[in-house]
Amino acid sequence: MSDDRLVIAGREFKSRLWVGTGKYKDFIETKKAIEASGADVVTVAVRRVNITDRSKENLLDYLDPKKYTILPNTAGCYTVEDALRYARLGRAAGVSDLVKLEVIGDERTLFPDTAGLIEAARILVKEGFIVLPYTNDDPIVAQKLVDIGCPAVMPLAAPIGSGLGIRNPYNLKIILETVKAPVIVDAGVGTASDAALAMELGADAVLMNTAIAGAKDPIMMAEAMKYGVEAGRLAFKAGRIPRKLYANASSPIEGML
């Protein structure tokens, strides 16, 4: 898999598992889980985690910038104005011009406000950000985001932190077939088989946080997710056999008496 690199906006990533940094008991556990996952993209909530004040304990002190791509995100933002503010803060702090853009529309489900997302994405793209939008599994919205200049889209598998796995594989499949940009399945993964399924469908990567941080053993689960993503990717590239209603003998019967 070493030559199977993911490329987004001219940037190359060796791992197709991207991870978040929330909900761990401390920064030490966060670091260990990230190392076990093999991920090289780590997303950080600008609103919730200190990455701007270097005089205080800082998550970035535990992550080697030569080893990881830090992806600031706008988690917790319910308005376009808030999302723009935190995206700009992340870049102003010197973290990255990459941003995982979230504009949340509902506090209970944490589903995206797609109209607000498109508006914020359009503004940030014009400002030179590399915008990776967290969206729902609507193929039309995904296409609109790519059309305005987002180099990848991040449709949810299920509500954030739910662990329900992929609830609508058919919509994801449509997105994968119609959107000419990398697709990163984001939110709702519960275990390694969910990650493997996303990759088997053809996703370019999977992003997760709660599934690892909320596990009984986050370090072990991080490793399991690494293998799940790798197995799913290999299976997708290998090409599965067609599904058939009836049996098909695996041994040849020609020439048998």
Side-chain angles (χ1 to χ4, degrees), residues 14-48:
K14 69 178 188 298
S15 174
R16 292 174 182 269
L17 172 59
W18 294 14
V19 296
T21 52
K23 303 183 180 180
Y24 290 97
K25 66 180 181 181
D26 54 37
F27 288 153
I28 297 297
E29 183 178 70
T30 307
K31 179 182 179 181
K32 289 181 178 178
I34 292 170
E35 289 173 346
S37 74
D40 55 353
V41 176
V42 180
T43 184
V44 179
V46 180
R47 189 185 186 107
R48 295 172 177 160

PDB file of all heavy atoms in Angstrom, residues 14-48:
ATOM      1  N   LYS A  14      -0.056   9.552   2.933  1.00  0.00           N
ATOM      2  CA  LYS A  14       0.240   8.123   2.845  1.00  0.00           C
ATOM      3  C   LYS A  14      -0.849   7.260   3.462  1.00  0.00           C
ATOM      4  O   LYS A  14      -1.063   6.125   3.054  1.00  0.00           O
ATOM      5  CB  LYS A  14       1.583   7.815   3.520  1.00  0.00           C
ATOM      6  CG  LYS A  14       1.616   7.962   5.021  1.00  0.00           C
ATOM      7  CD  LYS A  14       2.985   7.593   5.571  1.00  0.00           C
ATOM      8  CE  LYS A  14       2.996   7.553   7.095  1.00  0.00           C
ATOM      9  NZ  LYS A  14       2.689   8.849   7.698  1.00  0.00           N
ATOM     10  N   SER A  15      -1.551   7.780   4.470  1.00  0.00           N
ATOM     11  CA  SER A  15      -2.594   7.013   5.136  1.00  0.00           C
ATOM     12  C   SER A  15      -3.967   7.487   4.681  1.00  0.00           C
ATOM     13  O   SER A  15      -4.181   8.686   4.468  1.00  0.00           O
ATOM     14  CB  SER A  15      -2.483   7.158   6.658  1.00  0.00           C
ATOM     15  OG  SER A  15      -3.583   6.522   7.300  1.00  0.00           O
ATOM     16  N   ARG A  16      -4.887   6.562   4.561  1.00  0.00           N
ATOM     17  CA  ARG A  16      -6.258   6.892   4.201  1.00  0.00           C
ATOM     18  C   ARG A  16      -7.170   6.892   5.434  1.00  0.00           C
ATOM     19  O   ARG A  16      -8.390   6.978   5.298  1.00  0.00           O
ATOM     20  CB  ARG A  16      -6.771   5.943   3.125  1.00  0.00           C
ATOM     21  CG  ARG A  16      -6.050   6.176   1.793  1.00  0.00           C
ATOM     22  CD  ARG A  16      -6.424   5.177   0.725  1.00  0.00           C
ATOM     23  NE  ARG A  16      -5.663   5.430  -0.489  1.00  0.00           N
ATOM     24  CZ  ARG A  16      -6.061   6.223  -1.486  1.00  0.00           C
ATOM     25  NH1 ARG A  16      -7.222   6.827  -1.415  1.00  0.00           N
ATOM     26  NH2 ARG A  16      -5.296   6.399  -2.554  1.00  0.00           N
ATOM     27  N   LEU A  17      -6.574   6.795   6.593  1.00  0.00           N
ATOM     28  CA  LEU A  17      -7.302   6.968   7.853  1.00  0.00           C
ATOM     29  C   LEU A  17      -6.918   8.323   8.427  1.00  0.00           C
ATOM     30  O   LEU A  17      -5.748   8.580   8.713  1.00  0.00           O
ATOM     31  CB  LEU A  17      -6.941   5.852   8.836  1.00  0.00           C
ATOM     32  CG  LEU A  17      -7.481   6.012  10.259  1.00  0.00           C
ATOM     33  CD1 LEU A  17      -9.006   6.106  10.269  1.00  0.00           C
ATOM     34  CD2 LEU A  17      -7.006   4.860  11.145  1.00  0.00           C
ATOM     35  N   TRP A  18      -7.893   9.197   8.577  1.00  0.00           N
ATOM     36  CA  TRP A  18      -7.702  10.501   9.195  1.00  0.00           C
ATOM     37  C   TRP A  18      -8.380  10.468  10.562  1.00  0.00           C
ATOM     38  O   TRP A  18      -9.442   9.844  10.707  1.00  0.00           O
ATOM     39  CB  TRP A  18      -8.305  11.609   8.338  1.00  0.00           C
ATOM     40  CG  TRP A  18      -7.624  11.815   7.016  1.00  0.00           C
ATOM     41  CD1 TRP A  18      -6.727  10.985   6.396  1.00  0.00           C
ATOM     42  CD2 TRP A  18      -7.807  12.924   6.133  1.00  0.00           C
ATOM     43  NE1 TRP A  18      -6.328  11.503   5.194  1.00  0.00           N
ATOM     44  CE2 TRP A  18      -6.986  12.708   4.999  1.00  0.00           C
ATOM     45  CE3 TRP A  18      -8.574  14.080   6.182  1.00  0.00           C
ATOM     46  CZ2 TRP A  18      -6.917  13.591   3.929  1.00  0.00           C
ATOM     47  CZ3 TRP A  18      -8.521  14.974   5.118  1.00  0.00           C
ATOM     48  CH2 TRP A  18      -7.700  14.733   4.009  1.00  0.00           C
ATOM     49  N   VAL A  19      -7.789  11.124  11.537  1.00  0.00           N
ATOM     50  CA  VAL A  19      -8.331  11.017  12.898  1.00  0.00           C
ATOM     51  C   VAL A  19      -8.503  12.392  13.543  1.00  0.00           C
ATOM     52  O   VAL A  19      -7.803  13.349  13.217  1.00  0.00           O
ATOM     53  CB  VAL A  19      -7.436  10.129  13.793  1.00  0.00           C
ATOM     54  CG1 VAL A  19      -7.414   8.691  13.282  1.00  0.00           C
ATOM     55  CG2 VAL A  19      -6.020  10.685  13.882  1.00  0.00           C
ATOM     56  N   GLY A  20      -9.432  12.426  14.507  1.00  0.00           N
ATOM     57  CA  GLY A  20      -9.665  13.620  15.300  1.00  0.00           C
ATOM     58  C   GLY A  20      -8.941  13.547  16.631  1.00  0.00           C
ATOM     59  O   GLY A  20      -8.271  12.557  16.937  1.00  0.00           O
ATOM     60  N   THR A  21      -9.111  14.581  17.434  1.00  0.00           N
ATOM     61  CA  THR A  21      -8.338  14.694  18.669  1.00  0.00           C
ATOM     62  C   THR A  21      -9.205  14.955  19.896  1.00  0.00           C
ATOM     63  O   THR A  21      -8.684  15.204  20.980  1.00  0.00           O
ATOM     64  CB  THR A  21      -7.311  15.840  18.541  1.00  0.00           C
ATOM     65  OG1 THR A  21      -7.987  17.033  18.110  1.00  0.00           O
ATOM     66  CG2 THR A  21      -6.232  15.488  17.524  1.00  0.00           C
ATOM     67  N   GLY A  22     -10.520  14.894  19.763  1.00  0.00           N
ATOM     68  CA  GLY A  22     -11.397  15.182  20.890  1.00  0.00           C
ATOM     69  C   GLY A  22     -11.713  13.948  21.713  1.00  0.00           C
ATOM     70  O   GLY A  22     -11.524  12.810  21.279  1.00  0.00           O
ATOM     71  N   LYS A  23     -12.164  14.171  22.957  1.00  0.00           N
ATOM     72  CA  LYS A  23     -12.741  13.145  23.829  1.00  0.00           C
ATOM     73  C   LYS A  23     -11.746  12.181  24.453  1.00  0.00           C
ATOM     74  O   LYS A  23     -12.141  11.219  25.119  1.00  0.00           O
ATOM     75  CB  LYS A  23     -13.833  12.354  23.089  1.00  0.00           C
ATOM     76  CG  LYS A  23     -14.957  13.238  22.546  1.00  0.00           C
ATOM     77  CD  LYS A  23     -16.055  12.427  21.891  1.00  0.00           C
ATOM     78  CE  LYS A  23     -17.157  13.338  21.360  1.00  0.00           C
ATOM     79  NZ  LYS A  23     -18.244  12.564  20.716  1.00  0.00           N
ATOM     80  N   TYR A  24     -10.457  12.395  24.263  1.00  0.00           N
ATOM     81  CA  TYR A  24      -9.466  11.566  24.946  1.00  0.00           C
ATOM     82  C   TYR A  24      -9.285  12.068  26.370  1.00  0.00           C
ATOM     83  O   TYR A  24      -9.600  13.223  26.686  1.00  0.00           O
ATOM     84  CB  TYR A  24      -8.126  11.608  24.195  1.00  0.00           C
ATOM     85  CG  TYR A  24      -8.146  10.900  22.869  1.00  0.00           C
ATOM     86  CD1 TYR A  24      -8.356  11.604  21.681  1.00  0.00           C
ATOM     87  CD2 TYR A  24      -7.967   9.525  22.799  1.00  0.00           C
ATOM     88  CE1 TYR A  24      -8.369  10.954  20.456  1.00  0.00           C
ATOM     89  CE2 TYR A  24      -7.973   8.868  21.572  1.00  0.00           C
ATOM     90  CZ  TYR A  24      -8.182   9.589  20.405  1.00  0.00           C
ATOM     91  OH  TYR A  24      -8.209   8.940  19.201  1.00  0.00           O
ATOM     92  N   LYS A  25      -8.744  11.218  27.241  1.00  0.00           N
ATOM     93  CA  LYS A  25      -8.603  11.608  28.645  1.00  0.00           C
ATOM     94  C   LYS A  25      -7.495  12.641  28.831  1.00  0.00           C
ATOM     95  O   LYS A  25      -7.546  13.444  29.772  1.00  0.00           O
ATOM     96  CB  LYS A  25      -8.355  10.394  29.526  1.00  0.00           C
ATOM     97  CG  LYS A  25      -7.043   9.674  29.301  1.00  0.00           C
ATOM     98  CD  LYS A  25      -6.913   8.481  30.227  1.00  0.00           C
ATOM     99  CE  LYS A  25      -5.579   7.758  30.038  1.00  0.00           C
ATOM    100  NZ  LYS A  25      -5.468   6.577  30.929  1.00  0.00           N
ATOM    101  N   ASP A  26      -6.491  12.637  27.965  1.00  0.00           N
ATOM    102  CA  ASP A  26      -5.420  13.634  28.040  1.00  0.00           C
ATOM    103  C   ASP A  26      -4.634  13.622  26.731  1.00  0.00           C
ATOM    104  O   ASP A  26      -4.874  12.790  25.849  1.00  0.00           O
ATOM    105  CB  ASP A  26      -4.486  13.376  29.238  1.00  0.00           C
ATOM    106  CG  ASP A  26      -3.925  11.961  29.264  1.00  0.00           C
ATOM    107  OD1 ASP A  26      -3.620  11.413  28.181  1.00  0.00           O
ATOM    108  OD2 ASP A  26      -3.766  11.402  30.362  1.00  0.00           O
ATOM    109  N   PHE A  27      -3.695  14.545  26.608  1.00  0.00           N
ATOM    110  CA  PHE A  27      -2.917  14.654  25.374  1.00  0.00           C
ATOM    111  C   PHE A  27      -1.997  13.454  25.156  1.00  0.00           C
ATOM    112  O   PHE A  27      -1.685  13.112  24.011  1.00  0.00           O
ATOM    113  CB  PHE A  27      -2.088  15.941  25.387  1.00  0.00           C
ATOM    114  CG  PHE A  27      -2.903  17.201  25.203  1.00  0.00           C
ATOM    115  CD1 PHE A  27      -2.466  18.409  25.725  1.00  0.00           C
ATOM    116  CD2 PHE A  27      -4.095  17.189  24.496  1.00  0.00           C
ATOM    117  CE1 PHE A  27      -3.199  19.576  25.550  1.00  0.00           C
ATOM    118  CE2 PHE A  27      -4.845  18.343  24.314  1.00  0.00           C
ATOM    119  CZ  PHE A  27      -4.394  19.547  24.845  1.00  0.00           C
ATOM    120  N   ILE A  28      -1.577  12.816  26.221  1.00  0.00           N
ATOM    121  CA  ILE A  28      -0.714  11.637  26.087  1.00  0.00           C
ATOM    122  C   ILE A  28      -1.472  10.503  25.395  1.00  0.00           C
ATOM    123  O   ILE A  28      -0.962   9.862  24.470  1.00  0.00           O
ATOM    124  CB  ILE A  28      -0.192  11.167  27.457  1.00  0.00           C
ATOM    125  CG1 ILE A  28       0.679  12.250  28.112  1.00  0.00           C
ATOM    126  CG2 ILE A  28       0.586   9.862  27.318  1.00  0.00           C
ATOM    127  CD1 ILE A  28       1.929  12.581  27.346  1.00  0.00           C
ATOM    128  N   GLU A  29      -2.701  10.265  25.859  1.00  0.00           N
ATOM    129  CA  GLU A  29      -3.510   9.218  25.228  1.00  0.00           C
ATOM    130  C   GLU A  29      -3.810   9.592  23.777  1.00  0.00           C
ATOM    131  O   GLU A  29      -3.802   8.723  22.892  1.00  0.00           O
ATOM    132  CB  GLU A  29      -4.814   9.023  25.996  1.00  0.00           C
ATOM    133  CG  GLU A  29      -5.677   7.894  25.422  1.00  0.00           C
ATOM    134  CD  GLU A  29      -6.951   7.673  26.208  1.00  0.00           C
ATOM    135  OE1 GLU A  29      -7.848   8.552  26.147  1.00  0.00           O
ATOM    136  OE2 GLU A  29      -7.064   6.632  26.885  1.00  0.00           O
ATOM    137  N   THR A  30      -4.076  10.863  23.544  1.00  0.00           N
ATOM    138  CA  THR A  30      -4.317  11.331  22.173  1.00  0.00           C
ATOM    139  C   THR A  30      -3.136  10.981  21.277  1.00  0.00           C
ATOM    140  O   THR A  30      -3.302  10.421  20.181  1.00  0.00           O
ATOM    141  CB  THR A  30      -4.540  12.853  22.154  1.00  0.00           C
ATOM    142  OG1 THR A  30      -5.553  13.211  23.081  1.00  0.00           O
ATOM    143  CG2 THR A  30      -4.941  13.323  20.763  1.00  0.00           C
ATOM    144  N   LYS A  31      -1.953  11.298  21.734  1.00  0.00           N
ATOM    145  CA  LYS A  31      -0.739  11.051  20.951  1.00  0.00           C
ATOM    146  C   LYS A  31      -0.558   9.561  20.679  1.00  0.00           C
ATOM    147  O   LYS A  31      -0.263   9.159  19.542  1.00  0.00           O
ATOM    148  CB  LYS A  31       0.474  11.601  21.694  1.00  0.00           C
ATOM    149  CG  LYS A  31       1.790  11.379  20.960  1.00  0.00           C
ATOM    150  CD  LYS A  31       2.968  11.912  21.763  1.00  0.00           C
ATOM    151  CE  LYS A  31       4.288  11.669  21.047  1.00  0.00           C
ATOM    152  NZ  LYS A  31       5.452  12.152  21.821  1.00  0.00           N
ATOM    153  N   LYS A  32      -0.744   8.731  21.694  1.00  0.00           N
ATOM    154  CA  LYS A  32      -0.557   7.289  21.530  1.00  0.00           C
ATOM    155  C   LYS A  32      -1.562   6.703  20.534  1.00  0.00           C
ATOM    156  O   LYS A  32      -1.219   5.835  19.723  1.00  0.00           O
ATOM    157  CB  LYS A  32      -0.668   6.584  22.874  1.00  0.00           C
ATOM    158  CG  LYS A  32       0.507   6.850  23.808  1.00  0.00           C
ATOM    159  CD  LYS A  32       0.328   6.101  25.123  1.00  0.00           C
ATOM    160  CE  LYS A  32       1.523   6.323  26.051  1.00  0.00           C
ATOM    161  NZ  LYS A  32       1.335   5.626  27.355  1.00  0.00           N
ATOM    162  N   ALA A  33      -2.806   7.169  20.614  1.00  0.00           N
ATOM    163  CA  ALA A  33      -3.827   6.656  19.699  1.00  0.00           C
ATOM    164  C   ALA A  33      -3.530   7.069  18.261  1.00  0.00           C
ATOM    165  O   ALA A  33      -3.673   6.262  17.327  1.00  0.00           O
ATOM    166  CB  ALA A  33      -5.206   7.161  20.122  1.00  0.00           C
ATOM    167  N   ILE A  34      -3.100   8.302  18.079  1.00  0.00           N
ATOM    168  CA  ILE A  34      -2.774   8.772  16.733  1.00  0.00           C
ATOM    169  C   ILE A  34      -1.611   7.963  16.162  1.00  0.00           C
ATOM    170  O   ILE A  34      -1.626   7.547  14.999  1.00  0.00           O
ATOM    171  CB  ILE A  34      -2.450  10.275  16.746  1.00  0.00           C
ATOM    172  CG1 ILE A  34      -3.710  11.072  17.079  1.00  0.00           C
ATOM    173  CG2 ILE A  34      -1.879  10.722  15.404  1.00  0.00           C
ATOM    174  CD1 ILE A  34      -3.463  12.541  17.350  1.00  0.00           C
ATOM    175  N   GLU A  35      -0.611   7.708  16.981  1.00  0.00           N
ATOM    176  CA  GLU A  35       0.531   6.908  16.529  1.00  0.00           C
ATOM    177  C   GLU A  35       0.087   5.503  16.132  1.00  0.00           C
ATOM    178  O   GLU A  35       0.517   4.966  15.102  1.00  0.00           O
ATOM    179  CB  GLU A  35       1.581   6.840  17.626  1.00  0.00           C
ATOM    180  CG  GLU A  35       2.320   8.158  17.844  1.00  0.00           C
ATOM    181  CD  GLU A  35       3.243   8.124  19.043  1.00  0.00           C
ATOM    182  OE1 GLU A  35       3.122   7.186  19.867  1.00  0.00           O
ATOM    183  OE2 GLU A  35       4.081   9.038  19.168  1.00  0.00           O
ATOM    184  N   ALA A  36      -0.798   4.890  16.939  1.00  0.00           N
ATOM    185  CA  ALA A  36      -1.269   3.529  16.650  1.00  0.00           C
ATOM    186  C   ALA A  36      -2.112   3.485  15.384  1.00  0.00           C
ATOM    187  O   ALA A  36      -2.145   2.464  14.689  1.00  0.00           O
ATOM    188  CB  ALA A  36      -2.063   2.991  17.831  1.00  0.00           C
ATOM    189  N   SER A  37      -2.795   4.586  15.065  1.00  0.00           N
ATOM    190  CA  SER A  37      -3.670   4.611  13.896  1.00  0.00           C
ATOM    191  C   SER A  37      -2.898   4.667  12.583  1.00  0.00           C
ATOM    192  O   SER A  37      -3.436   4.314  11.530  1.00  0.00           O
ATOM    193  CB  SER A  37      -4.597   5.832  13.963  1.00  0.00           C
ATOM    194  OG  SER A  37      -3.886   7.036  13.673  1.00  0.00           O
ATOM    195  N   GLY A  38      -1.667   5.137  12.635  1.00  0.00           N
ATOM    196  CA  GLY A  38      -0.891   5.304  11.408  1.00  0.00           C
ATOM    197  C   GLY A  38      -1.305   6.494  10.581  1.00  0.00           C
ATOM    198  O   GLY A  38      -0.799   6.700   9.475  1.00  0.00           O
ATOM    199  N   ALA A  39      -2.226   7.304  11.097  1.00  0.00           N
ATOM    200  CA  ALA A  39      -2.720   8.461  10.349  1.00  0.00           C
ATOM    201  C   ALA A  39      -1.637   9.518  10.204  1.00  0.00           C
ATOM    202  O   ALA A  39      -0.769   9.661  11.065  1.00  0.00           O
ATOM    203  CB  ALA A  39      -3.931   9.060  11.065  1.00  0.00           C
ATOM    204  N   ASP A  40      -1.705  10.264   9.104  1.00  0.00           N
ATOM    205  CA  ASP A  40      -0.818  11.414   8.971  1.00  0.00           C
ATOM    206  C   ASP A  40      -1.592  12.721   8.823  1.00  0.00           C
ATOM    207  O   ASP A  40      -1.000  13.784   8.699  1.00  0.00           O
ATOM    208  CB  ASP A  40       0.178  11.238   7.814  1.00  0.00           C
ATOM    209  CG  ASP A  40      -0.481  10.946   6.486  1.00  0.00           C
ATOM    210  OD1 ASP A  40      -1.707  10.748   6.455  1.00  0.00           O
ATOM    211  OD2 ASP A  40       0.226  10.906   5.466  1.00  0.00           O
ATOM    212  N   VAL A  41      -2.933  12.641   8.876  1.00  0.00           N
ATOM    213  CA  VAL A  41      -3.769  13.830   8.942  1.00  0.00           C
ATOM    214  C   VAL A  41      -4.537  13.798  10.260  1.00  0.00           C
ATOM    215  O   VAL A  41      -5.217  12.818  10.567  1.00  0.00           O
ATOM    216  CB  VAL A  41      -4.756  13.912   7.762  1.00  0.00           C
ATOM    217  CG1 VAL A  41      -5.678  15.124   7.915  1.00  0.00           C
ATOM    218  CG2 VAL A  41      -4.011  13.978   6.441  1.00  0.00           C
ATOM    219  N   VAL A  42      -4.400  14.872  11.020  1.00  0.00           N
ATOM    220  CA  VAL A  42      -5.025  14.962  12.351  1.00  0.00           C
ATOM    221  C   VAL A  42      -5.841  16.239  12.386  1.00  0.00           C
ATOM    222  O   VAL A  42      -5.308  17.334  12.164  1.00  0.00           O
ATOM    223  CB  VAL A  42      -3.951  14.989  13.456  1.00  0.00           C
ATOM    224  CG1 VAL A  42      -4.605  15.080  14.824  1.00  0.00           C
ATOM    225  CG2 VAL A  42      -3.064  13.746  13.364  1.00  0.00           C
ATOM    226  N   THR A  43      -7.136  16.110  12.658  1.00  0.00           N
ATOM    227  CA  THR A  43      -7.991  17.281  12.667  1.00  0.00           C
ATOM    228  C   THR A  43      -8.214  17.790  14.090  1.00  0.00           C
ATOM    229  O   THR A  43      -8.354  16.996  15.026  1.00  0.00           O
ATOM    230  CB  THR A  43      -9.332  16.991  11.957  1.00  0.00           C
ATOM    231  OG1 THR A  43     -10.118  18.177  11.905  1.00  0.00           O
ATOM    232  CG2 THR A  43     -10.105  15.899  12.635  1.00  0.00           C
ATOM    233  N   VAL A  44      -8.211  19.106  14.231  1.00  0.00           N
ATOM    234  CA  VAL A  44      -8.257  19.756  15.538  1.00  0.00           C
ATOM    235  C   VAL A  44      -9.318  20.853  15.516  1.00  0.00           C
ATOM    236  O   VAL A  44      -9.341  21.681  14.602  1.00  0.00           O
ATOM    237  CB  VAL A  44      -6.882  20.376  15.884  1.00  0.00           C
ATOM    238  CG1 VAL A  44      -6.935  21.072  17.234  1.00  0.00           C
ATOM    239  CG2 VAL A  44      -5.795  19.317  15.869  1.00  0.00           C
ATOM    240  N   ALA A  45     -10.185  20.860  16.524  1.00  0.00           N
ATOM    241  CA  ALA A  45     -11.233  21.874  16.615  1.00  0.00           C
ATOM    242  C   ALA A  45     -10.652  23.185  17.125  1.00  0.00           C
ATOM    243  O   ALA A  45     -10.218  23.279  18.270  1.00  0.00           O
ATOM    244  CB  ALA A  45     -12.347  21.397  17.538  1.00  0.00           C
ATOM    245  N   VAL A  46     -10.635  24.205  16.274  1.00  0.00           N
ATOM    246  CA  VAL A  46     -10.085  25.506  16.654  1.00  0.00           C
ATOM    247  C   VAL A  46     -10.881  26.108  17.806  1.00  0.00           C
ATOM    248  O   VAL A  46     -10.331  26.742  18.699  1.00  0.00           O
ATOM    249  CB  VAL A  46     -10.091  26.470  15.450  1.00  0.00           C
ATOM    250  CG1 VAL A  46      -9.513  27.828  15.834  1.00  0.00           C
ATOM    251  CG2 VAL A  46      -9.321  25.870  14.282  1.00  0.00           C
ATOM    252  N   ARG A  47     -12.176  25.876  17.821  1.00  0.00           N
ATOM    253  CA  ARG A  47     -13.058  26.456  18.837  1.00  0.00           C
ATOM    254  C   ARG A  47     -12.852  25.822  20.206  1.00  0.00           C
ATOM    255  O   ARG A  47     -13.025  26.475  21.239  1.00  0.00           O
ATOM    256  CB  ARG A  47     -14.507  26.283  18.391  1.00  0.00           C
ATOM    257  CG  ARG A  47     -15.534  27.023  19.253  1.00  0.00           C
ATOM    258  CD  ARG A  47     -16.957  26.705  18.815  1.00  0.00           C
ATOM    259  NE  ARG A  47     -17.901  27.521  19.549  1.00  0.00           N
ATOM    260  CZ  ARG A  47     -18.573  28.551  19.045  1.00  0.00           C
ATOM    261  NH1 ARG A  47     -18.388  28.888  17.795  1.00  0.00           N
ATOM    262  NH2 ARG A  47     -19.424  29.237  19.776  1.00  0.00           N
ATOM    263  N   ARG A  48     -12.460  24.540  20.237  1.00  0.00           N
ATOM    264  CA  ARG A  48     -12.485  23.782  21.493  1.00  0.00           C
ATOM    265  C   ARG A  48     -11.119  23.423  22.049  1.00  0.00           C
ATOM    266  O   ARG A  48     -10.989  23.111  23.229  1.00  0.00           O
ATOM    267  CB  ARG A  48     -13.290  22.491  21.285  1.00  0.00           C
ATOM    268  CG  ARG A  48     -14.759  22.754  20.979  1.00  0.00           C
ATOM    269  CD  ARG A  48     -15.467  21.480  20.583  1.00  0.00           C
ATOM    270  NE  ARG A  48     -16.892  21.712  20.345  1.00  0.00           N
ATOM    271  CZ  ARG A  48     -17.674  20.908  19.642  1.00  0.00           C
ATOM    272  NH1 ARG A  48     -17.154  19.820  19.079  1.00  0.00           N
ATOM    273  NH2 ARG A  48     -18.953  21.181  19.480  1.00  0.00           N
TER     274      ARG A  48
END
